[in-house]
Amino acid sequence: MTPLSGLRVVDRTREIAGPYCSKLFADAGADVVIVEPEGGDAFRAWRSGALFEYLNAAKRTVVTGSDGELVAHADVLLTADPHDVGPARAVNPGLVVVTITPTGCDGPWAARPTSEFTLQAACGSMGHRGLPEQPPLAAGGRMGDWITGTYAAVAAIAALAAGRGEHIDVAMLDCMAVTMATFPSVFAEMTGWPTLTGTGRAIEVPSIIPTADGWVVVTTNSTAQLQDFLIQIGRPDLVDDPGIANVRERFARRDEFLAAVHAYSTQRTASEVLDDAAAFRVPAGPVLSGATVADFEQFS
């Protein structure tokens, strides 16, 4: 028996957030039925179709209009249309209905067209990302969709545990605001709302660095890691430099600091830099692409 054996989920959503939510249910053993339009979900034909297959593996499928009986006997309904809530609850009062929409079921922005890209801007995520002399940057990979799907699944499980007949209004904007903006409300609770100076945008230094044959990523979140990294790149003279130890001052001196880093890294292959980092216990990894990730030795 799997954790959710015997639970039925009907999924009327499209693309990533809703299907990922129902995938989490399917992975835990629930019976998940996706509702597709005549001719099939358009996401099937997006690029290679592999993303659709990943999101909807282990699910059954029916055509729009033939799901009424399923809803009547389901435990959870996932939908992107708030108008589904009333009719679904009418035929199944105990149903947990989860609406997954960009900005929620109501409010002044509920009817406006949006995308994951525009929601990243609205949630505050872009405002602190990038260099201060350049425009803000969005994060790739449609992170907001995956985050929202996870929140929706947790909320649905909580509603099932608390009882039946709940409507869970999941807004992507809300989920992204509390996860993709570095928890500003948490920091504000501890330190107060600081006065913003400049643009507020910065990047981690060091982060992505060039090598003789590609790129690697390193992170030095602790003082010990930074000191070990400085020794790795052959600059122990910088260990006692207070302007390098301080994150903000190091960012202000990023051109000088990165010149020292690149003088080391560009003379070595990515493999050599990563081996050195492992020896000095500095967190590091390769920057892979779709063409190279399948050959990553950790996957073999």
Side-chain angles (χ1 to χ4, degrees):
M1 291 286 289
T2 51
L4 299 183
S5 292
L7 193 76
R8 174 174 289 173
V9 178
V10 176
D11 185 358
R12 292 176 175 170
T13 63
R14 303 281 185 267
E15 297 203 3
I16 295 175
Y20 183 62
C21 173
S22 62
K23 171 183 167 53
L24 296 176
F25 276 94
D27 289 348
D31 174 27
V32 178
V33 183
I34 61 175
V35 183
E36 300 189 60
E38 292 283 354
D41 191 319
F43 217 46
R44 287 181 178 272
W46 188 74
R47 297 189 178 179
S48 68
L51 182 56
F52 178 89
E53 295 295 331
Y54 167 75
L55 288 168
N56 294 292
K59 302 176 187 178
R60 297 188 290 135
T61 183
V62 298
V63 177
T64 301
S66 61
D67 58 321
E69 188 65 20
L70 289 169
V71 171
H73 296 91
D75 300 287
V76 178
L77 171 66
L78 304 180
T79 179
D81 185 356
H83 295 99
D84 284 344
V85 178
R89 296 279 293 281
V91 300
N92 185 347
L95 186 68
V96 171
V97 182
V98 182
T99 52
I100 302 177
T101 62
T103 56
C105 291
D106 52 27
W109 280 73
R112 297 197 184 196
T114 60
S115 68
E116 206 264 357
F117 178 68
T118 65
L119 292 175
Q120 279 199 33
C123 79
S125 172
M126 285 189 198
H128 67 273
R129 186 176 289 115
L131 293 169
E133 65 272 18
Q134 296 178 0
L137 296 175
R142 294 180 64 169
M143 292 174 59
D145 280 292
W146 302 99
I147 291 167
T148 300
T150 305
Y151 269 75
V154 172
I157 289 292
L160 288 168
R164 302 300 178 108
E166 297 287 341
H167 170 214
I168 310 297
D169 182 1
V170 180
M172 285 185 63
L173 179 63
D174 295 352
C175 297
M176 294 165 69
V178 298
T179 54
M180 295 185 67
T182 321
F183 305 105
S185 58
V186 177
F187 285 116
E189 181 68 23
M190 294 187 292
T191 64
W193 291 103
T195 300
L196 183 64
T197 58
T199 65
R201 290 194 294 280
I203 60 172
E204 186 175 349
V205 178
S207 53
I208 301 172
I209 59 177
T211 69
D213 61 351
W215 302 83
V216 298
V217 61
V218 297
T219 184
T220 54
N221 288 331
S222 71
T223 300
Q225 289 170 353
L226 176 63
Q227 292 174 345
D228 289 343
F229 180 70
L230 292 173
I231 296 171
Q232 175 188 338
I233 67 172
R235 294 299 305 269
D237 56 299
L238 297 177
V239 168
D240 295 323
D241 186 332
I244 296 299
N246 181 278
V247 173
R248 291 186 178 180
E249 291 185 34
R250 185 163 72 248
F251 177 74
R253 293 171 57 185
R254 61 188 178 278
D255 291 341
E256 170 196 350
F257 178 75
L258 290 176
V261 175
H262 297 171
Y264 155 84
S265 65
T266 57
Q267 302 305 307
R268 293 163 176 79
T269 65
S271 179
E272 290 171 334
V273 173
L274 293 174
D275 287 345
D276 286 351
F280 283 95
R281 300 192 63 79
V282 174
V287 177
L288 303 175
S289 67
T292 59
V293 68
D295 296 325
F296 184 38
E297 58 189 352
Q298 186 62 29
F299 291 146
S300 62

